[in-house]
Amino acid sequence: MDKMKSRVSTDSNYDMAPKTVGQYLFDCLKLEGITEIFGVAGDYNFTLLDTLERYNGIKFIEGRNELNSGYASDGYARIKGISALITTFGVGELSACNPIAGANSEHVPIIHIVGSPPEKDQKEHKLMHHTLMDGNFDVFRKMYEQITAYSVVLTPENAMIEIPAAIRIAKEKKQPVYLVVADDLVAKPIMFREVPVQQPRTSVKLTLQAAVDHVRQLLEHSNSPVILVDVKSMRFGLQTAVQQLADTMNIPVASMLFGKGAFDETHPNYIGMYLGSFGSTEVQSIIENADCIIAIGLVWADVNTASYTAKLNSLKTVNIQPDFVKVGEAVYPNVLAEDMLNALKSLGYKGQGLLKKVDFPYNQCKTNTDELLMATGYYPIFQQMLKKDDILIVETGTFYNGMAEVRLPSNVIYIGQGGWGSIGYATPSTFGASIAAPERRVLLFTGDGSLQLTAQEISSMLYYGCKPIIFVLNNNGYTIEKYLNVKTKNQKYNKIPQWSYTKLVETFGGNAFTTIVRTNGELEQAINQADIERAERLCVIEMIIEDSMDAPENMKRMRNYKLKQEMQRKQK
């Protein structure tokens, strides 16, 4: 097998003196474009952080806890393609389990680096703090095996092999990896190793051709094909190839809920979100009556399919996944999505575009400035305020459902955690996004209940000079949970304490523009003012919703569906 030296060892800036484990690790991360690493200090990662403080080109961004730092890493990775997180052993890394599991579920590559007790103490099985007091120092790595694509214990002997391998796996699988290194080994010089050349992944040509031929047969008898775009097209960098296919074929394009933002919603062939029976009946009809559905990066999950009310004819569906294709019931393994998309462009199929103009839910809505805030009024206002190149982070819950049908301008990055769905994700993710792209306008849409889980990270935003515009939907509790539970009413567990959200900034010792709004007119004025203020400082707009059960139309349809299911269950 052809071999070559590590990319780092052949870099023109590489010092001939042996690098330490820590220096080599940061060299590798820097080559991936990582310029910030999130995390929380702890005594077992002090040597890592001391090395990082002396290292040029990467800055340590400390969060208020490891949970939040993990979410911040997730938001950062969704913009820059990959991120890194440093925690301490045991207490720190276990706090980060939730965001790392979420990144695994959502296909977000994070390099999770854990500082562990000194190697000598581990070998002697000493009872150390931050452990289970049983002398076992491998238990947490084994836990992480279940929620990462790769895990390894780094040493000076294996660093040159294992660090590049872990990063490569994270990039290929778009999932987090786990690296643990003893505190006393970080400053030890690495042993030189020659790293095997990694050949680029390619499709099996005969299998690719067979898949393309199968699709050709479908299209030859097709009069109403459509393209359906989902989340993996975003995660695996397929947006350009998908748009080129849409341009070439000239057929309708819709997005799934998880895939919101994966396709340019200003495209003339874009028809909106396919939300099964919970969304537009017009979109539902176009998709479900299509005689060929080219689905890219599809995830057939409960939330994404509107409780499985989405109905696709599998025999007429071309399911293009990152590394295989399924046409009807035939599976074609080892076919890369980009190769398949490029091959489909060459088939020469040309549709008629949209036969008639499609209505978008918030396009025609008229808002009365004196009306109290309700979903029917404020979502059209949000749609009007959005700009090209914005970054939107949308919290799990009411906003995640409502913002799904807001039509986005071009080149907007849309971040939501639809599959994992951990409330509290969006606020620290906004922190990560703001660090990743300080030159862009960052907008956070979060609820009062979700914000109470991770509000500390507003402090980090202030500390690091981030200037997002934060919209807090104060609807007096967990409205999404009230909608999901149709078996009982007025649940005490869905109520929350009343906070003064605009005063959080004062508590955190920062300077921000804050305001409380109750009407459509006040919201519009606040948005205009915030767009001026954001040049200098963070902005918080608290939206008071009088009716705690007010919600977007798709949530109301979801609740009606669940009520019918519950009635049927009781009748059995």
Side-chain angles (χ1 to χ4, degrees), residues 2-23:
D2 291 335
K3 294 186 177 182
M4 69 173 182
K5 293 182 180 180
S6 161
R7 287 184 300 164
V8 174
S9 66
T10 57
D11 190 280
S12 59
N13 296 323
Y14 187 81
D15 192 335
M16 294 308 294
K19 293 277 180 134
T20 67
V21 173
Q23 290 169 336

Side-chain angles (χ1 to χ4, degrees), residues 212-231:
V212 173
D213 289 342
H214 196 160
V215 177
R216 180 187 286 109
Q217 293 171 18
L218 271 180
L219 288 173
E220 283 174 352
H221 301 92
S222 176
N223 295 310
S224 57
V226 296
I227 292 173
L228 189 57
V229 186
D230 203 6
V231 61

